[in-house]
Amino acid sequence: MDAAKELHAGAEARSDYLEKVTGDARFASDVVVPGMLQGRILRSPVPHARIKRIDPSGALTMPGVIAVLTGEDLHGINTHWGLYLKDRPVIAIDRVRYVGEPVAAVAAIDEFAAEEALDAIEVDYEQLPFVVEADEAMKPGAPLVHEDQITQKDFYFRGEAKPVAGTNVFQSYEYAHGDIDAAFSKAARVFEDHFTFPMVFHYAMEPHVVVADYREDSLELWSCAQSPTAVQKVCAQLFGLPLTKIRVHSPYVGGGFGGKASVKIDPLVAALSRKARRPVRVCLSINESMLTCRRLSAAIDLKTAVDEFGKLTAKSVRVVMNGGAYADTGPAVAIKSAIRAIGPYRFPNLKLEALAVYTNTVPGAAFRSIGGPQAVWATESQMDIIAAALARDPVEFRLANMVEKGETIRPDLRPLDVDLKGALRSAVAAMDKISANAPGKRRRGVAVAATDPGILPIAGAIVRLKIDGSVLVLANSVEIGQGVRGALRIIAAEALRQPLHLVSVGE
């Protein structure tokens, strides 16, 4: 197929191309529901405090204000939710744990009225000691962000978090094979390095936005969430509704990168709609989205041994992650970070340790490869350090220690299903060709990674043949710009032997 035909086929499959460039694409922020109110959120100005008093009466007397939601309004529902740990209240009840935590929410006839009403809500705080760094939070006597840690098993990710009672550690993970101590003692050289990775905000062009319509026995949501099934599951647990009574629409998502994965503001907006008895839309500003989630920061210690021939013989990994005030996906991020710190390399002796720690900061969340960037940055940086110390070419040093297709990086994981060595050689050859044809001196670097999947490998789809002969595909994969709807259209068209223009994919 020539380039013009490929372009035409891609445009035909990706119906969102034209919609997006013409402005016709519908995002959650574009949704309008009859009778819809606008919601705004009052946030904590302090990192850790008891809420002594909330007085919303001034806001309730203002023109256009329909309802104010506070922690006292959560009667009749489960108040806390989470994916690994049920640690997050729908809205602050008796304490706030980070600057920006929602304390009250207003539903009004327009955003101006809702915003004005926030200033009329009176809140008295009793400030408490706080911690913002993971190493401080792990010290004996550090202020506890949470006293109780209620875990959930196989709720969103496979497995269960392992918090350490009486501490701020909400995930503790360990793995080992071989004899790590003996390997280090016999090694020709041992390299020990410390790496840090900062908090980063996802900065999607579309901020977090949800429209919720809570009825007496059902809930309908239009959400920017990347994980609608997780939203559905959490809301069912919170509001005591059957899954079949909760419908989550997923219009186009204007960027997510993990910041809209799992669940973010959906329960709060649903609770505000429940209080107002009308549909409510909450669209955050970018500043507010920055106070909703961010990537977990990390401190990673690596100890790696090589023999006299430059073969890797042992590796010890210790990852400490700052998970913020609520666990969110932090337990999975910590585990995946430790696993991804192995790299695609052969280690007969291996030890992994990962800790995720509560602090009084914005909750940490998945961000582009769920722990991968933190870990790969550390491991691949150390591979360059070792190669330089051994006077080895960094690419050849990697190739000499890289697992082959069909091998495992850990005995309990599935074999590698790609030829990473071949891929690395092809990438280097391409860089050499570009450098040879480019003017001036160019620097280059390489990094290679391998890992197990981040999410449970389970999916489902419903395909409906409509009365006019067209085909409708319904799946819970969300269109965040990666082209999943186009891919589903092509798969359905090929499987059913139907023209592509007769196949559509629902929200």
Side-chain angles (χ1 to χ4, degrees), residues 184-317:
F184 282 133
S185 65
K186 295 176 183 178
R189 296 199 56 180
V190 176
F191 296 83
E192 296 186 63
D193 295 286
H194 178 74
F195 300 90
T196 59
F197 200 104
M199 301 179 189
V200 182
F201 172 58
H202 307 72
Y203 217 104
M205 290 179 69
E206 173 199 43
H208 294 84
V209 56
V210 174
V211 177
D213 186 5
Y214 188 97
R215 304 295 177 92
E216 187 175 339
D217 62 348
S218 66
L219 172 62
E220 192 166 10
L221 296 145
W222 291 261
S223 175
C224 70
Q226 293 175 239
S227 313
T229 51
V231 171
Q232 184 188 47
K233 197 170 182 179
V234 164
C235 288
Q237 193 178 70
L238 280 170
F239 298 104
L241 295 171
L243 286 173
T244 55
K245 292 292 186 178
I246 300 175
R247 186 176 184 185
V248 182
H249 300 269
S250 298
Y252 292 128
V253 175
F257 321 118
K260 295 171 185 172
S262 66
V263 182
K264 294 298 180 280
I265 65 171
D266 305 82
L268 171 56
V269 184
L272 183 57
S273 173
R274 176 178 179 265
K275 176 69 183 294
R277 298 178 181 270
R278 285 173 60 178
V280 175
R281 172 185 181 268
V282 173
C283 183
L284 303 186
S285 65
I286 286 294
N287 286 345
E288 289 181 295
S289 284
M290 293 178 73
L291 295 172
T292 299
C293 64
R294 45 83 180 176
R295 174 182 271 160
L296 282 81
S297 54
I300 301 177
D301 291 291
L302 302 179
K303 184 177 180 180
T304 304
V306 296
D307 64 16
E308 62 271 26
F309 305 107
K311 288 286 187 180
L312 299 170
T313 60
K315 185 171 189 175
S316 172
V317 176

Side-chain angles (χ1 to χ4, degrees), residues 6-25 252 479 481-483 486 489:
E6 284 188 9
L7 184 62
H8 177 75
E12 186 181 4
R14 291 291 302 272
S15 58
D16 59 317
Y17 284 166
L18 186 60
E19 292 176 13
K20 288 176 178 176
V21 298
T22 58
D24 288 336
Y252 292 128
E479 181 56 76
Q482 82 281 40
R489 289 183 68 211

Side-chain angles (χ1 to χ4, degrees), residues 45 123 143 245 302 337 348 391 461 485 504-505:
V123 186
K245 292 292 186 178
L302 302 179
S337 188
R485 292 184 184 174
S504 60
V505 179

Side-chain angles (χ1 to χ4, degrees), residues 43-54 71-72 74 80 87-104 123-131 142-148 168 325-326 358-360:
R43 299 176 179 275
S44 168
V46 294
H48 198 196
R50 287 191 182 89
I51 300 174
K52 298 175 65 178
R53 181 182 70 98
I54 300 180
E72 294 182 355
L74 300 182
H80 288 69
D87 58 358
R88 185 181 300 208
V90 172
I91 196 166
I93 298 174
D94 54 358
R95 284 166 67 181
V96 291
R97 294 178 170 87
Y98 72 97
V99 172
E101 179 159 9
V103 175
V123 186
D124 292 337
Y125 298 100
E126 178 189 339
Q127 296 199 42
L128 299 170
F130 61 91
V131 286
L144 291 180
V145 181
H146 296 271
E147 281 77 23
D148 300 317
N168 284 313
Y326 298 105
Y358 284 127
T359 62
N360 296 110

Side-chain angles (χ1 to χ4, degrees), residues 28-41:
S29 56
D30 298 315
V31 171
V32 176
V33 176
M36 184 176 75
L37 303 173
Q38 300 293 329
R40 299 292 290 158
I41 298 171

